[in-house]
Amino acid sequence: MGKKWRWGVILDAGSSGTRLHIYRWLDPAKALKEASYEEVYSLPNIVTKDKWTKKIRPGISTFGDRPEDVGPEHLQELVERALDVIPDDKHADTPIYLMATAGMRLLPPTQQRAVITETCSYFRANTRFFLPNCDTHIQVIPGETEGLYGWIAANYLLGGFDNPEGHDHGKGHHTYGFLDMGGASAQIAFAPNSTVAEEHGNDLKLLRMRSLNGSPREYKVFTSTWLGFGVNQARGRYVKALVDEFLINGEHEVPDPCLPRGLRTNEKGEIVKGTSKELELVGTGEFDECLRRTKPLLGKNMPCNDKPCLLNGQHVPPIDFDVNHFVGVSEYWHTTHGVFSSKNDDAAYDFNTYQKKVVEFCSQRWEDIESNVEARKKDHGKEAQEACFKASWLISVLHEGIGVPRYGIENTPIPGFNVTKGIGEAAKEKGFLSPFQAADEVNDVEISWTLGKMVLYAAGQIPPKDNYRLPVGFGSNTNGVPPDFQHAGSSYNVTSSIGGDEDDWSDTAEDLIDHAKSKSTSGFFFFLLIFMFIAFLLRKRDRRMRLYGKVNKVLRRRRRPGSPRKGGFGISSITNKLFGRGPYHYERVLEEGDVDQFELGDASSDEGDNSDSSGGRSRVGRSSGLATPKLNVGSFDDLKKHAHPTGTGNALDRSGLVVRTESRERLFPQMLNAGRRSRAASPTRLKSPLMSPVTED
């Protein structure tokens, strides 16, 4: 079960909130050593867990006029979760990213820069995560980049990359299109068929990744974004059009066909009760009229300078829906699987069935909807208020804007075709036959563009095969490395150490502790006893002490603050017998009068280039903050040969064992064996950078 993990942290700073995502994957050298034949030709296996994600509200863009508060008032909670999940000794090699999307794009450039600068400063001051370059790690990303990352994530999870034969949609096409919609913007990304790709080559992005064996993977993808076409921004434009048309001087009520009958809200969507003189939107529950009024918001009448165009006069190459099968996430999922669906409703999307549900729902009186919704889930109230407009906007964007065929009218899907609940298996078995399908996750992993970024980063850590030295990343569709090429941000190291038994047992212990913490109290101690028995089998004392530290850390977390420590024969006495005396019983073994011969040595750190594609590491976050006692050997000329400032050479020299041993022989021969036990167990020595060669984790 030995696992040497690499970690990555990325924060998705959207318009409504910021969401933390933590991912991990095996070191490429370790993964290749253990890979099956199929895995050798696949992309790195990225792992995440539900508890490794966390979302807070509101969006980071709300700090535009007070950027100094973004750290303590917004990011702190997310940073603490990341620090708690990722092992301390992995922090320096764990990249951290914050990538802001549509909400931040709407801010003035000066406010964007202020928030970004404060965010980077906060990360550097409060973490040791790998952050060599603020401009690449903390940024407002274009919508096209967000769409490309989402396209990577969807195809990675569905299997379009690693199993082309199993996902053949015809004409040699095996990847899936990607649709995303948030509160402020919407994205599209897809790989056109070969004919369109040749005709519209200048419109495409060249994406390059690597399989585990180092062989290149190249794809040509079109990606575009529509800023202002997210549901919240579209709703704002819709309300403004209603007010301009229907508001009469001296009145304050405006009819709204996209609200259920009897529902009254203000312009912000807050329910108005009782009498009020502020502007009120009064629901009439006329969904056909709602659809008619949302269509003009698509901007289909805007001039198209580069045909063909879809929304707002923006060019998009022709979409062949026979082979381009799209996955819709975020609002596409929530709007089709929110208040309109039940727990047992997992059938594939078709226009006819969906619109019937929407019309039935939106024609009800608000009192009836409210009572039914509260019986299901209280926090669905706000969702129910907005459901009719969101459904109308989704239908308009999908079918009137993008041109997705209306399954249920224009075509008939396979009867009973179930795709949403087990979308991974359905994609493998059926090839994802519908031109459009809403999805939220695949095999319990969320389809998030942040995953696409981490897949690209992990692929960049794989050494290239033979002479295929072109970097991992994306840019203009030209040969070689175009000027606008965006590197993955990672680097590979051919001589990277795989790690030995100690790394394997350490990671195994971490997994065991993680599993035990999720169990009941009795189950926790049962797993803990098993863990300590395994630790006892590891005969080397330094390994046992590392494991003891992990157990002790967990025990301190399990004990409630302020609760007394129990004496007698307990866990503490057992661990003392297994591991020896713990770190709180450090024995002083310096000879009398030796204090002046020891001084604190400066901790050194490697410096390297800070470019995205370089193999160097920044000074930021690399130093452990610990200094190792260093013997002042001024009068011992014959001992100078053992000192090595760079940390290379013989392992005994680096760890200082030769110096200490010869020093004792010269000063007090009878003290030769004194104190060796406590020195081996010293927590400071174990953490010293001089103990062993520095390796990439």
Side-chain angles (χ1 to χ4, degrees), residues 9-29:
V9 176
I10 183 166
L11 286 81
D12 172 8
S15 58
S16 62
T18 301
R19 189 166 191 176
L20 167 75
H21 294 267
I22 299 174
Y23 300 98
R24 73 178 184 182
W25 58 95
L26 277 179
D27 178 273

Side-chain angles (χ1 to χ4, degrees), residues 420-482:
T420 58
K421 190 172 185 178
I423 189 172
E425 288 301 316
K428 294 175 184 176
E429 295 174 4
K430 303 291 185 180
F432 207 40
L433 298 178
S434 301
F436 167 79
Q437 187 55 247
D440 185 43
E441 57 184 29
V442 176
N443 297 328
D444 299 324
V445 178
E446 180 184 359
I447 306 175
S448 169
W449 64 263
T450 58
L451 173 62
K453 169 61 183 176
M454 282 295 110
V455 170
L456 200 64
Y457 187 94
Q461 292 184 331
I462 300 173
K465 182 179 181 181
D466 302 328
N467 295 321
Y468 297 104
R469 297 284 173 178
L470 292 174
V472 171
F474 60 92
S476 297
N477 183 24
T478 60
N479 294 328
V481 183

Side-chain angles (χ1 to χ4, degrees), residues 603-625:
S604 62
S605 61
D606 296 335
E607 295 185 26
D609 295 334
N610 289 339
S611 64
D612 288 350
S613 58
S614 69
R617 288 292 184 265
S618 169
R619 288 174 296 172
V620 179
R622 296 291 297 176
S623 175
S624 65

